[in-house]
Amino acid sequence: LQNKELDSVLNEVLEQRNEERRKPKCPKGTRDMDPLQMAIREKAFTIIKSVFKRHGACEIDTPVFELKETLMGKYGEESKLIYDLEDQGGELLSLRYDLTVPFARFVSMHNFEKIKRFHIAKVYRRDNPQMNKGRFREFYQCDFDIAGTYSIMIPDSEVIKVLSEILEQLEIGEFVIKLNHRKFLDAMVELAGCEKRKFKAICSSVDKLDKEPWEKVREELIMMKGLTPEMCDKLEKFVKLVGKPMELLQKLKDEGIFAGHREGEETIKEMETLFEYLQAMNCIDRVSFDFSLARGLDYYTGLIYEAVLTDPNNRVGSIAGGGRYDGLVGMFAGKTIPAVGVSIGIERVFAILEEKLKKENSVRSTETQIYIAQIGKNLVAERLRICSELWAIGIKAETSYQDNPNNQRQMEYTLLNGIPLILFLGENELKEGVVKVKSLSKKEEYVIKRDELLQEIIQIVRDNPILL
Amino acid sequence: LQNKELDSVLNEVLEQRNEERRKPKCPKGTRDMDPLQMAIREKAFTIIKSVFKRHGACEIDTPVFELKETLMGKYGEESKLIYDLEDQGGELLSLRYDLTVPFARFVSMHNFEKIKRFHIAKVYRRDNPQMNKGRFREFYQCDFDIAGTYSIMIPDSEVIKVLSEILEQLEIGEFVIKLNHRKFLDAMVELAGCEKRKFKAICSSVDKLDKEPWEKVREELIMMKGLTPEMCDKLEKFVKLVGKPMELLQKLKDEGIFAGHREGEETIKEMETLFEYLQAMNCIDRVSFDFSLARGLDYYTGLIYEAVLTDPNNRVGSIAGGGRYDGLVGMFAGKTIPAVGVSIGIERVFAILEEKLKKENSVRSTETQIYIAQIGKNLVAERLRICSELWAIGIKAETSYQDNPNNQRQMEYTLLNGIPLILFLGENELKEGVVKVKSLSKKEEYVIKRDELLQEIIQIVRDNPILL
């Protein structure tokens, strides 16, 4: 063998060994959920689902991938972030990018005229992940939508109410729901004398106002979007309209800001109706009427909204968003089915809850209520018998998988896993027909007759609730 | 334009129009879950999860796709059924094929020495779908595994207990859990005088005995696998060993079937221990000791089992399976981490439950407890106010999204959705400070003072439980 060949063989062997030794990992932008994270996730989902159900929503699910053609042409520029599956000699498939397009496909395919549904599932985006900021390539969305032809602002107001209930009950800090209306944005652009075709470009600049000062946005509007200073002066008056719903509405009317503009005036009336309903549902205090909210998505046709956390320590930005989209479902159905909904960015919620619950030490990865320990030898079958009796009456019980576990280990396991009760099974006690139970939270000890075990344990478990 | 060109233009236009008119659909082998199916799915998951939790298991989740290299070389022939993602200029990715390999990767990546976890998630196989038989390309698996170095048969017996509790509590009919041991299969092949290298081929024939008579399997063994008639005669004696655990064990000992065969004799002792534990846990009656069970998977090293439904009307075959695999986790971890587990084929469970619950008419797609109806005009805000008060105390309430819904429609909605209570809001009653509530199940009517509404409703809801 020549030197060169030798090197190449050597490299190959080294590479292989390297390969073997390499730690397995998750794909870029994805992560495993460990048991503690799963417990927190379930906690959050339980709260969210119970709100959806309280409002009479049903649940649906769709496949994780769709025909490529179903997703094509729905996401504009962002389409490049869609994951495609390899062509393995069948259909062309893509992973779902959100839950809204699959929902529109679902409604049309199953001939629904109306539906109030929620859908909690993972979506996929080949984006630049920033995992420390909660931006992943695989992440959960939590969507609630009401589709159907209904009276003005009734479903819209319920979606706002649902969003505010969820954010209250998750207990992740103070929040505000910013509201605006697509038709106000249309009117604003028109009344500022801008060309209609620049609508999207103007909105995308205006929407930066939550992060940048007006001067910077103004500069962008003039330099990049070709607006005149006069146009910008007029726009400025609009985008600075922010306030409590009823007060700002009064101001719009008093100052005649949309006076003579038919759509503007109509939209004022719509907002009046919405605010009346939000007042009736006792959630108007959660809302800020904000003309600088100009969410990017093309398909919004009416009300738009975005929830942000206001706690200065939790600057995660937007945590949920949505609006009315009366055209999207019809793209599949061939007839108009209006819809309004909200999507909750649950990964940020998880991150906040994770930090909070770990700090409070108030989360466990299992729910075991009692640990069956043995003192002495050869008691496996008796331990399993007791577990089995407890399982049969719904009590969560565990025991060691060792034939003869030592005391230290059994105690450690119970403490480390936050199990509130430990039962000791001893050869001598067993002969006397008793067992001992210790409460680790209350530091109490009970001696119980073996044949009264179940009734007694039910009572003790009731007095020593698990943390979760 | 020439005729040919005209045709081609015409075809193009027609194709496009056809495209537009075409109904959207799901990818081959996948399906949407409608609200009723979702309610059933949740019912099943709740039962299954509560069993897992009662046994002290934690939950984990992993990404839907893995690095291609993680899955490579783990599934033998079946690898061709793996869905690959398109190479879009990053890592090479594949959709997960089961939950066992991702579990092994998880345990190794996060340096677990031991873990008792469950994982409920979708897996993907580019198989030939038979959707009416419950065979899909996207389907749920429900896995429970115990990894760690423990005493003989303790974790194994708990896995069997978990499986038997789940199948009992799902109430999908009678079942039996067939048990065998990899080492009995090894011994059987050896004692029949067959070559060791034919082990897999022989097992795959033997495993057909639940569907085919011995004569056919014997023929296959001789014609296709090259066994002699003498070998087959010896094998036949083994594979016909089926019976109640303790009885068959006694027979093995009495007749000295593995006498002098070290591994066979050791395995008899292992089984004796297992059966003692199953007896202690009161589930040995669910078990059949069956030498014809020869599950295909390469990686099993000890106990193997399979649950089948025995109701002749429910011939869906195997509904769950598993075993001990002491080598797999170590392939990633670089050290031996023994493991034992079970995977439940939940799609078949769904199908049986769906049929059963729809027949009993005992499933609803929503959980609404009371519908707020109006008689008269202009009561939207008042309806929403009442809903909001009810939501605040946890009652599931709905009202119409129409400004002035007619009586008929409101009544229909309540009945069709199985809502047990309907509250009528009338202009006149409102002036008198009262509302009416009707119980649709008990056919009773209550007149309630508006300012005593909440206390009264709590009581009435308690007396009129929803179906689910």
Side-chain angles (χ1 to χ4, degrees), chain A residues 217-279:
Chain A
V217 170
R218 180 192 163 95
E219 194 185 306
E220 183 176 304
L221 286 168
I222 293 175
M223 307 301 287
M224 314 280 293
K225 314 282 167 95
L227 266 60
T228 65
E230 294 72 36
M231 290 172 181
C232 285
D233 291 344
K234 285 183 183 160
L235 277 182
E236 185 182 1
K237 280 189 195 151
F238 281 102
V239 301
K240 294 209 163 158
L241 294 168
V242 178
K244 291 190 179 173
M246 290 303 190
E247 287 172 16
L248 183 50
L249 206 61
Q250 198 55 48
K251 184 180 161 120
L252 294 182
K253 288 196 275 189
D254 291 348
E255 300 183 6
I257 288 173
F258 291 105
H261 189 284
R262 195 178 58 81
E263 288 223 305
E265 285 181 336
E266 274 175 21
T267 307
I268 287 180
K269 275 191 201 138
E270 278 194 28
M271 294 304 264
E272 212 158 12
T273 305
L274 171 69
F275 295 156
E276 186 197 349
Y277 297 160
L278 294 182
Q279 225 156 17

Side-chain angles (χ1 to χ4, degrees), chain B residues 206-267:
Chain B
V206 167
D207 202 45
K208 293 178 186 166
L209 279 172
D210 55 347
K211 296 184 205 82
E212 291 174 5
W214 167 253
E215 286 64 37
K216 234 182 136 193
V217 170
R218 180 193 163 95
E219 194 184 308
E220 183 178 304
L221 286 168
I222 293 175
M223 305 302 287
M224 315 279 291
K225 314 282 167 92
L227 267 59
T228 65
E230 294 71 36
M231 291 173 181
C232 286
D233 292 343
K234 286 183 184 161
L235 276 182
E236 185 182 1
K237 280 188 193 151
F238 281 102
V239 300
K240 295 207 162 158
L241 294 168
V242 180
K244 291 189 180 171
M246 290 303 191
E247 287 173 17
L248 184 49
L249 206 61
Q250 197 56 48
K251 183 180 160 118
L252 294 183
K253 289 195 277 187
D254 290 349
E255 300 184 6
I257 288 175
F258 292 105
H261 190 283
R262 196 178 56 81
E263 288 225 304
E265 286 183 335
E266 273 175 21
T267 308

